[in-house]
Amino acid sequence: MRKTFLIVPLLLAAAVVLLAAAIPDDGHQSLHELMEGLKDNLKGLSQNLENESQQPAALLHVSQMQGIVLLAKELEPDNMEETPEADRAAHKLAYRAAMAALLGELAVIEQDICKGDNAAAMEAVRGKLLEMREAGHDRFQSEHEHHDDDDDH
């Protein structure tokens, strides 16, 4: 038990350092780069959920994903230029709402992991989280990005 109290703060500190390192010196990162970070962490999370002893690593991936989403929700969706001018404000709000919903789902997954219910967390990752990813890509990716992304699935 005592080791857990030491490991978790260290892993959380590492998450902060890794997230800070992911941000370029100019303080800006493209949405594409952030989404690649989400994709990488999603893979790691899925792998870690298969083994209960990997709980700290799974929580680290969730924390990193939450941090990335916080950065990404401040940006514009990739298809903003393709969106008619009159619809852009509403489109940007819809994007932000989708990112906020993603944060909410990540919080649910984090709670499942904290309760030791990796099965529920994995079900949420494979179900709701992947559905949200697909819906977000369909609604907010540019046509060019969306077609390139088809190869990644």
Side-chain angles (χ1 to χ4, degrees), residues 53-112:
S53 70
Q54 296 298 314
Q55 182 189 42
L59 289 170
L60 178 62
H61 285 295
V62 172
S63 292
Q64 288 177 330
M65 293 172 76
Q66 290 166 335
I68 291 168
V69 171
L70 285 172
L71 294 172
K73 75 183 184 91
E74 299 300 323
L75 302 177
E76 292 185 342
D78 279 341
N79 64 352
M80 188 63 90
E81 289 183 19
E82 299 166 14
T83 304
E85 186 75 37
D87 299 334
R88 288 184 181 180
H91 189 63
K92 188 171 182 178
L93 285 175
Y95 167 76
R96 188 177 182 107
M99 297 306 280
L102 178 55
L103 275 175
E105 189 59 27
L106 287 169
V108 169
I109 291 167
E110 182 176 17
Q111 290 171 346
D112 288 339

Side-chain angles (χ1 to χ4, degrees), residues 6 15 17 25 29 33 45 48 62 76 82 91 104 106 148:
L6 295 174
V17 169
D25 290 337
Q29 196 167 20
E33 290 168 324
L45 175 61
N48 292 137
V62 172
E76 292 185 342
E82 299 166 14
H91 189 63
L106 287 169
D148 289 348

